[in-house]
């Protein structure tokens, strides 16, 4: 008998609704898991731990996370913790330390889901945002001068390296060539104002375009991209953009999918450990009520399995989600959450259909 392959997965439920959606995601993982094993290790990291012990991400735990095949994260952020601590020292530190330079955020509208934009059909919304995830304004470069005085200066620098821009643009080109995609790559930036960073991005896109002659490339300013998300989303297939533009644009993207509770994302290091998460955050208003939408976490599990090479299990989740949403009449426009989906219905029916 051949030995079954085992994936070692670090689980970080985190704060707020993180633990409840992670629980639903793990049920789905178990339901689609045939032909391979998973070894789960849970990490107690997040606001509660910080408030209890003052620790955010001890090196020993980071070391254990590094040794995983993938990470499944719920949400990070706590109302009693000053903004910036958990975000920077836990979420961003994990992304940076593991060099997860791709933030992959598919924007799909599942069948039967209503959104705030009545003119959109299901076919209109099917794109992927490739958000640069390791530099830009998120690098933490900058500082204060004369802090607290009337002459205070606060500088926040956007770091854009040739290496960083090239690897994210290359990833986006390769994704555009994937059989499921439409071979169109749009650079979203603000080249008319950010003439240094934007210029580097545009030059790299133009240079790499010759390596990918089958991919059509174009360019849209980030503000105009917001208009197109509402007015003509079908014009986008793969978008590549910098860290902060990608952050902002994908919240709008989530809303044209049907809500923050649907949008999943992956922090990917193609050669290392990747981390998958629902992108909606901790949703304190929903915490503990059983009303948060678990679809984003389930979508994150789907992406995690795809990254681990478990294409069949990932496809079962996709079929299951589509089957379930097409039957649900309760998903209303813009809704963050609704009662927990029956896992049996979601996976078993969907997989057999
Ligand atoms: C996201 C979040 C994070 C980000 C925050 C919590 C640091 O908004 O994953 O989109 O800005 O990347
Ligand atoms: Mn965000």
């Amino acid at each position: 008998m051949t030995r079954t392959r085992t994936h070692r997965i670090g689980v970080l439920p985190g704060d707020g609704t993180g633990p409840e959606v992670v629980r639903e995601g793990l049920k789905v993982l178990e339901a689609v898991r045939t032909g391979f094993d998973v070894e789960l290790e849970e990490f107690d990291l997040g606001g509660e731990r910080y408030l209890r012990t003052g620790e955010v991400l001890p090196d020993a735990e980071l070391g254990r996370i590094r040794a995983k095949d993938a990470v499944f994260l719920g949400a990070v952020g706590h109302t009693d913790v000053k903004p910036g601590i958990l975000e920077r020292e836990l979420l961003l530190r994990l992304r940076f330390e593991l060099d997860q330079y791709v933030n992959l955020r598919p924007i799909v509208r599942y069948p039967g889901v209503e959104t705030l934009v009545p003119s959109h059909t299901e076919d209109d919304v099917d794109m992927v945002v490739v958000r640069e995830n390791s530099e830009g304004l998120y690098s933490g470069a900058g500082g204060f001068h004369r802090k607290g005085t009337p002459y205070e200066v606060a500088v926040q620098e956007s770091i854009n390296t040739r290496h960083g821009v090239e690897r994210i643009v290359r990833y986006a080109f390769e994704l555009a060539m994937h059989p499921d995609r439409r071979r169109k790559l749009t650079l979203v930036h603000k080249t008319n104002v950010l003439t240094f960073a934007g210029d580097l991005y545009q030059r790299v896109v133009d240079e790499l375009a010759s390596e990918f002659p089958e991919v059509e490339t174009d360019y849209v300013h980030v503000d105009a991209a917001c208009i197109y998300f509402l007015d003509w989303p079908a014009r986008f297939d793969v978008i590549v953009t910098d860290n902060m533009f990608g952050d902002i644009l994908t919240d709008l993207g989530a809303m044209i999918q049907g809500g923050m509770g649907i949008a999943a994302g992956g922090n990917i290091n193609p050669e290392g450990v990747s981390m998958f998460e629902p992108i909606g955050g901790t949703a304190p208003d929903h915490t503990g009520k059983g009303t948060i939408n678990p679809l984003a976490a389930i979508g994150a599990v789907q992406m995690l399995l795809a990254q681990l090479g478990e294409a069949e299990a990932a496809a079962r989740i996709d079929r299951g989600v589509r089957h379930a949403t097409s039957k649900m009449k309760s998903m209303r426009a813009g809704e963050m959450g609704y009662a927990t989906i029956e896992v049996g219905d979601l996976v078993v029916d969907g997989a057999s259909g």
Side-chain angles (χ1 to χ4, degrees), residues 95 105 131 138 246-248 250-251 260 279:
R95 289 176 181 170
R105 298 189 159 179
R131 166 186 173 190
Y138 282 61
D247 179 30
I248 298 169
T250 52
D251 269 21
M260 292 305 291
I279 76 170

Side-chain angles (χ1 to χ4, degrees), residues 172-178 181-185 215 238:
F173 266 110
E174 283 168 1
L175 180 62
M177 286 297 291
H178 188 279
R181 304 272 19 131
R182 304 190 300 277
R183 300 190 176 182
K184 181 169 179 198
L185 176 63
V215 179
V238 177

Side-chain angles (χ1 to χ4, degrees), residues 117-129:
V117 192
S119 64
H120 288 176
T121 68
E122 268 152 42
D123 293 339
D124 286 335
V125 182
D126 178 15
M127 63 175 112
V128 186
V129 175

